[in-house]
PDB file of all heavy atoms in Angstrom:
ATOM      1  N   THR A   5     138.141  46.441  37.641  1.00 97.00           N
ATOM      2  CA  THR A   5     137.524  47.311  36.651  1.00 97.00           C
ATOM      3  C   THR A   5     137.806  46.767  35.261  1.00 97.00           C
ATOM      4  O   THR A   5     138.959  46.461  34.929  1.00 97.00           O
ATOM      5  CB  THR A   5     138.037  48.745  36.781  1.00 97.00           C
ATOM      6  OG1 THR A   5     137.710  49.247  38.082  1.00 97.00           O
ATOM      7  CG2 THR A   5     137.390  49.643  35.738  1.00 97.00           C
ATOM      8  N   ALA A   6     136.757  46.658  34.454  1.00 96.00           N
ATOM      9  CA  ALA A   6     136.854  46.065  33.129  1.00 96.00           C
ATOM     10  C   ALA A   6     136.620  47.106  32.042  1.00 96.00           C
ATOM     11  O   ALA A   6     135.843  48.051  32.215  1.00 96.00           O
ATOM     12  CB  ALA A   6     135.836  44.933  32.971  1.00 96.00           C
ATOM     13  N   SER A   7     137.278  46.922  30.916  1.00 94.00           N
ATOM     14  CA  SER A   7     137.065  47.762  29.750  1.00 94.00           C
ATOM     15  C   SER A   7     137.296  46.931  28.494  1.00 94.00           C
ATOM     16  O   SER A   7     137.881  45.852  28.551  1.00 94.00           O
ATOM     17  CB  SER A   7     137.998  48.983  29.758  1.00 94.00           C
ATOM     18  OG  SER A   7     139.356  48.582  29.712  1.00 94.00           O
ATOM     19  N   GLY A   8     136.819  47.431  27.359  1.00 89.00           N
ATOM     20  CA  GLY A   8     137.064  46.770  26.088  1.00 89.00           C
ATOM     21  C   GLY A   8     135.965  45.834  25.620  1.00 89.00           C
ATOM     22  O   GLY A   8     136.096  45.237  24.549  1.00 89.00           O
ATOM     23  N   PHE A   9     134.897  45.701  26.399  1.00 90.00           N
ATOM     24  CA  PHE A   9     133.780  44.852  26.023  1.00 90.00           C
ATOM     25  C   PHE A   9     132.558  45.281  26.811  1.00 90.00           C
ATOM     26  O   PHE A   9     132.689  45.878  27.884  1.00 90.00           O
ATOM     27  CB  PHE A   9     134.103  43.373  26.266  1.00 90.00           C
ATOM     28  CG  PHE A   9     133.239  42.418  25.496  1.00 90.00           C
ATOM     29  CD1 PHE A   9     133.488  42.174  24.156  1.00 90.00           C
ATOM     30  CD2 PHE A   9     132.180  41.765  26.111  1.00 90.00           C
ATOM     31  CE1 PHE A   9     132.699  41.290  23.431  1.00 90.00           C
ATOM     32  CE2 PHE A   9     131.385  40.884  25.398  1.00 90.00           C
ATOM     33  CZ  PHE A   9     131.645  40.644  24.055  1.00 90.00           C
ATOM     34  N   THR A  10     131.391  44.957  26.273  1.00 93.00           N
ATOM     35  CA  THR A  10     130.148  45.301  26.953  1.00 93.00           C
ATOM     36  C   THR A  10     130.097  44.619  28.312  1.00 93.00           C
ATOM     37  O   THR A  10     130.085  43.393  28.402  1.00 93.00           O
ATOM     38  CB  THR A  10     128.942  44.893  26.106  1.00 93.00           C
ATOM     39  OG1 THR A  10     129.029  45.493  24.814  1.00 93.00           O
ATOM     40  CG2 THR A  10     127.647  45.328  26.784  1.00 93.00           C
ATOM     41  N   PHE A  11     130.070  45.431  29.355  1.00 94.00           N
ATOM     42  CA  PHE A  11     130.202  44.902  30.699  1.00 94.00           C
ATOM     43  C   PHE A  11     129.116  43.886  31.028  1.00 94.00           C
ATOM     44  O   PHE A  11     129.388  42.845  31.642  1.00 94.00           O
ATOM     45  CB  PHE A  11     130.195  46.063  31.701  1.00 94.00           C
ATOM     46  CG  PHE A  11     130.539  45.670  33.101  1.00 94.00           C
ATOM     47  CD1 PHE A  11     131.793  45.188  33.418  1.00 94.00           C
ATOM     48  CD2 PHE A  11     129.604  45.796  34.119  1.00 94.00           C
ATOM     49  CE1 PHE A  11     132.114  44.830  34.709  1.00 94.00           C
ATOM     50  CE2 PHE A  11     129.907  45.452  35.417  1.00 94.00           C
ATOM     51  CZ  PHE A  11     131.168  44.966  35.716  1.00 94.00           C
ATOM     52  N   GLU A  12     127.889  44.176  30.617  1.00 95.00           N
ATOM     53  CA  GLU A  12     126.757  43.316  30.953  1.00 95.00           C
ATOM     54  C   GLU A  12     126.806  41.959  30.260  1.00 95.00           C
ATOM     55  O   GLU A  12     126.047  41.061  30.621  1.00 95.00           O
ATOM     56  CB  GLU A  12     125.440  44.022  30.619  1.00 95.00           C
ATOM     57  CG  GLU A  12     125.118  45.222  31.499  1.00 95.00           C
ATOM     58  CD  GLU A  12     125.883  46.472  31.099  1.00 95.00           C
ATOM     59  OE1 GLU A  12     126.514  46.476  30.015  1.00 95.00           O
ATOM     60  OE2 GLU A  12     125.848  47.450  31.867  1.00 95.00           O
ATOM     61  N   ARG A  13     127.684  41.815  29.276  1.00 95.00           N
ATOM     62  CA  ARG A  13     127.839  40.548  28.583  1.00 95.00           C
ATOM     63  C   ARG A  13     128.920  39.661  29.208  1.00 95.00           C
ATOM     64  O   ARG A  13     129.157  38.545  28.731  1.00 95.00           O
ATOM     65  CB  ARG A  13     128.181  40.797  27.111  1.00 95.00           C
ATOM     66  CG  ARG A  13     127.027  41.404  26.318  1.00 95.00           C
ATOM     67  CD  ARG A  13     125.999  40.349  25.985  1.00 95.00           C
ATOM     68  NE  ARG A  13     126.550  39.343  25.088  1.00 95.00           N
ATOM     69  CZ  ARG A  13     126.004  38.154  24.857  1.00 95.00           C
ATOM     70  NH1 ARG A  13     124.888  37.810  25.463  1.00 95.00           N
ATOM     71  NH2 ARG A  13     126.583  37.307  24.011  1.00 95.00           N
ATOM     72  N   LEU A  14     129.554  40.135  30.252  1.00 95.00           N
ATOM     73  CA  LEU A  14     130.669  39.422  30.864  1.00 95.00           C
ATOM     74  C   LEU A  14     130.256  38.642  32.098  1.00 95.00           C
ATOM     75  O   LEU A  14     129.257  38.948  32.753  1.00 95.00           O
ATOM     76  CB  LEU A  14     131.768  40.404  31.268  1.00 95.00           C
ATOM     77  CG  LEU A  14     132.482  41.181  30.164  1.00 95.00           C
ATOM     78  CD1 LEU A  14     133.447  42.170  30.796  1.00 95.00           C
ATOM     79  CD2 LEU A  14     133.211  40.239  29.224  1.00 95.00           C
ATOM     80  N   SER A  15     131.057  37.655  32.411  1.00 96.00           N
ATOM     81  CA  SER A  15     131.127  37.093  33.743  1.00 96.00           C
ATOM     82  C   SER A  15     132.520  37.377  34.289  1.00 96.00           C
ATOM     83  O   SER A  15     133.503  37.290  33.549  1.00 96.00           O
ATOM     84  CB  SER A  15     130.866  35.590  33.734  1.00 96.00           C
ATOM     85  OG  SER A  15     129.525  35.319  33.378  1.00 96.00           O
ATOM     86  N   ILE A  16     132.592  37.736  35.558  1.00 97.00           N
ATOM     87  CA  ILE A  16     133.855  38.080  36.195  1.00 97.00           C
ATOM     88  C   ILE A  16     134.116  37.093  37.331  1.00 97.00           C
ATOM     89  O   ILE A  16     133.247  36.879  38.178  1.00 97.00           O
ATOM     90  CB  ILE A  16     133.854  39.513  36.742  1.00 97.00           C
ATOM     91  CG1 ILE A  16     133.564  40.528  35.626  1.00 97.00           C
ATOM     92  CG2 ILE A  16     135.182  39.819  37.429  1.00 97.00           C
ATOM     93  CD1 ILE A  16     134.649  40.630  34.579  1.00 97.00           C
ATOM     94  N   GLY A  17     135.302  36.524  37.341  1.00 97.00           N
ATOM     95  CA  GLY A  17     135.688  35.605  38.393  1.00 97.00           C
ATOM     96  C   GLY A  17     136.890  36.112  39.157  1.00 97.00           C
ATOM     97  O   GLY A  17     137.719  36.858  38.628  1.00 97.00           O
ATOM     98  N   TRP A  18     136.952  35.729  40.410  1.00 98.00           N
ATOM     99  CA  TRP A  18     138.127  35.958  41.243  1.00 98.00           C
ATOM    100  C   TRP A  18     138.812  34.623  41.506  1.00 98.00           C
ATOM    101  O   TRP A  18     138.151  33.640  41.875  1.00 98.00           O
ATOM    102  CB  TRP A  18     137.763  36.614  42.576  1.00 98.00           C
ATOM    103  CG  TRP A  18     137.408  38.061  42.477  1.00 98.00           C
ATOM    104  CD1 TRP A  18     136.165  38.604  42.420  1.00 98.00           C
ATOM    105  CD2 TRP A  18     138.329  39.157  42.442  1.00 98.00           C
ATOM    106  NE1 TRP A  18     136.239  39.969  42.347  1.00 98.00           N
ATOM    107  CE2 TRP A  18     137.560  40.341  42.358  1.00 98.00           C
ATOM    108  CE3 TRP A  18     139.721  39.261  42.475  1.00 98.00           C
ATOM    109  CZ2 TRP A  18     138.142  41.600  42.301  1.00 98.00           C
ATOM    110  CZ3 TRP A  18     140.299  40.518  42.417  1.00 98.00           C
ATOM    111  CH2 TRP A  18     139.515  41.665  42.329  1.00 98.00           C
ATOM    112  N   PHE A  19     140.118  34.602  41.322  1.00 98.00           N
ATOM    113  CA  PHE A  19     140.951  33.443  41.586  1.00 98.00           C
ATOM    114  C   PHE A  19     142.111  33.884  42.469  1.00 98.00           C
ATOM    115  O   PHE A  19     142.445  35.067  42.525  1.00 98.00           O
ATOM    116  CB  PHE A  19     141.477  32.832  40.286  1.00 98.00           C
ATOM    117  CG  PHE A  19     140.390  32.381  39.341  1.00 98.00           C
ATOM    118  CD1 PHE A  19     139.758  33.290  38.502  1.00 98.00           C
ATOM    119  CD2 PHE A  19     139.993  31.059  39.295  1.00 98.00           C
ATOM    120  CE1 PHE A  19     138.752  32.893  37.630  1.00 98.00           C
ATOM    121  CE2 PHE A  19     138.991  30.643  38.430  1.00 98.00           C
ATOM    122  CZ  PHE A  19     138.372  31.557  37.602  1.00 98.00           C
ATOM    123  N   ARG A  20     142.729  32.932  43.140  1.00 98.00           N
ATOM    124  CA  ARG A  20     143.859  33.286  43.990  1.00 98.00           C
ATOM    125  C   ARG A  20     144.916  32.190  43.942  1.00 98.00           C
ATOM    126  O   ARG A  20     144.623  31.023  43.695  1.00 98.00           O
ATOM    127  CB  ARG A  20     143.418  33.526  45.434  1.00 98.00           C
ATOM    128  CG  ARG A  20     142.897  32.289  46.153  1.00 98.00           C
ATOM    129  CD  ARG A  20     142.332  32.656  47.514  1.00 98.00           C
ATOM    130  NE  ARG A  20     141.897  31.489  48.260  1.00 98.00           N
ATOM    131  CZ  ARG A  20     141.305  31.542  49.449  1.00 98.00           C
ATOM    132  NH1 ARG A  20     141.069  32.713  50.031  1.00 98.00           N
ATOM    133  NH2 ARG A  20     140.944  30.421  50.070  1.00 98.00           N
ATOM    134  N   GLN A  21     146.154  32.601  44.192  1.00 98.00           N
ATOM    135  CA  GLN A  21     147.260  31.659  44.239  1.00 98.00           C
ATOM    136  C   GLN A  21     148.144  31.998  45.429  1.00 98.00           C
ATOM    137  O   GLN A  21     148.736  33.077  45.487  1.00 98.00           O
ATOM    138  CB  GLN A  21     148.073  31.681  42.948  1.00 98.00           C
ATOM    139  CG  GLN A  21     149.131  30.595  42.890  1.00 98.00           C
ATOM    140  CD  GLN A  21     149.706  30.411  41.500  1.00 98.00           C
ATOM    141  OE1 GLN A  21     149.670  31.325  40.680  1.00 98.00           O
ATOM    142  NE2 GLN A  21     150.231  29.228  41.229  1.00 98.00           N
ATOM    143  N   ALA A  22     148.212  31.071  46.372  1.00 97.00           N
ATOM    144  CA  ALA A  22     149.064  31.213  47.541  1.00 97.00           C
ATOM    145  C   ALA A  22     150.444  30.647  47.234  1.00 97.00           C
ATOM    146  O   ALA A  22     150.597  29.806  46.344  1.00 97.00           O
ATOM    147  CB  ALA A  22     148.442  30.490  48.735  1.00 97.00           C
ATOM    148  N   PRO A  23     151.460  31.082  47.968  1.00 91.00           N
ATOM    149  CA  PRO A  23     152.808  30.551  47.740  1.00 91.00           C
ATOM    150  C   PRO A  23     152.848  29.030  47.857  1.00 91.00           C
ATOM    151  O   PRO A  23     152.361  28.459  48.831  1.00 91.00           O
ATOM    152  CB  PRO A  23     153.641  31.210  48.841  1.00 91.00           C
ATOM    153  CG  PRO A  23     152.902  32.470  49.158  1.00 91.00           C
ATOM    154  CD  PRO A  23     151.453  32.119  49.010  1.00 91.00           C
ATOM    155  N   GLY A  24     153.416  28.382  46.854  1.00 94.00           N
ATOM    156  CA  GLY A  24     153.552  26.941  46.868  1.00 94.00           C
ATOM    157  C   GLY A  24     152.296  26.165  46.553  1.00 94.00           C
ATOM    158  O   GLY A  24     152.301  24.932  46.650  1.00 94.00           O
ATOM    159  N   LYS A  25     151.221  26.840  46.180  1.00 96.00           N
ATOM    160  CA  LYS A  25     149.963  26.173  45.891  1.00 96.00           C
ATOM    161  C   LYS A  25     149.498  26.462  44.472  1.00 96.00           C
ATOM    162  O   LYS A  25     149.939  27.418  43.837  1.00 96.00           O
ATOM    163  CB  LYS A  25     148.878  26.611  46.879  1.00 96.00           C
ATOM    164  CG  LYS A  25     149.119  26.190  48.317  1.00 96.00           C
ATOM    165  CD  LYS A  25     147.945  26.557  49.192  1.00 96.00           C
ATOM    166  CE  LYS A  25     148.129  26.082  50.619  1.00 96.00           C
ATOM    167  NZ  LYS A  25     146.965  26.433  51.469  1.00 96.00           N
ATOM    168  N   GLU A  26     148.602  25.620  43.994  1.00 97.00           N
ATOM    169  CA  GLU A  26     147.981  25.842  42.701  1.00 97.00           C
ATOM    170  C   GLU A  26     146.957  26.967  42.793  1.00 97.00           C
ATOM    171  O   GLU A  26     146.394  27.247  43.862  1.00 97.00           O
ATOM    172  CB  GLU A  26     147.301  24.566  42.211  1.00 97.00           C
ATOM    173  CG  GLU A  26     148.222  23.368  42.033  1.00 97.00           C
ATOM    174  CD  GLU A  26     149.165  23.534  40.868  1.00 97.00           C
ATOM    175  OE1 GLU A  26     148.813  24.232  39.896  1.00 97.00           O
ATOM    176  OE2 GLU A  26     150.269  22.972  40.925  1.00 97.00           O
ATOM    177  N   ARG A  27     146.707  27.604  41.664  1.00 97.00           N
ATOM    178  CA  ARG A  27     145.688  28.634  41.630  1.00 97.00           C
ATOM    179  C   ARG A  27     144.310  27.997  41.822  1.00 97.00           C
ATOM    180  O   ARG A  27     144.034  26.918  41.287  1.00 97.00           O
ATOM    181  CB  ARG A  27     145.742  29.390  40.300  1.00 97.00           C
ATOM    182  CG  ARG A  27     144.825  30.599  40.235  1.00 97.00           C
ATOM    183  CD  ARG A  27     145.296  31.589  39.188  1.00 97.00           C
ATOM    184  NE  ARG A  27     145.435  30.982  37.891  1.00 97.00           N
ATOM    185  CZ  ARG A  27     146.347  31.344  36.981  1.00 97.00           C
ATOM    186  NH1 ARG A  27     147.212  32.306  37.257  1.00 97.00           N
ATOM    187  NH2 ARG A  27     146.386  30.726  35.810  1.00 97.00           N
ATOM    188  N   GLU A  28     143.448  28.657  42.581  1.00 97.00           N
ATOM    189  CA  GLU A  28     142.133  28.133  42.870  1.00 97.00           C
ATOM    190  C   GLU A  28     141.069  29.204  42.682  1.00 97.00           C
ATOM    191  O   GLU A  28     141.341  30.398  42.771  1.00 97.00           O
ATOM    192  CB  GLU A  28     142.068  27.591  44.297  1.00 97.00           C
ATOM    193  CG  GLU A  28     142.274  28.644  45.371  1.00 97.00           C
ATOM    194  CD  GLU A  28     142.198  28.074  46.777  1.00 97.00           C
ATOM    195  OE1 GLU A  28     142.112  26.840  46.926  1.00 97.00           O
ATOM    196  OE2 GLU A  28     142.222  28.871  47.737  1.00 97.00           O
TER     197      GLU A  28
END
């Protein structure tokens, strides 16, 4: 959930980081 900016002007990404690995 996003706030503080016009939602339609955003791009939203999902990233993940597993133990011992770089974020991807």
Side-chain angles (χ1 to χ4, degrees):
T5 299
S7 62
F9 200 79
T10 304
F11 189 65
E12 291 79 11
R13 291 283 295 164
L14 296 175
S15 293
I16 302 293
W18 286 98
F19 301 82
R20 66 187 183 184
Q21 187 167 24
K25 294 185 177 181
E26 300 290 331
R27 187 157 55 212
E28 64 180 7

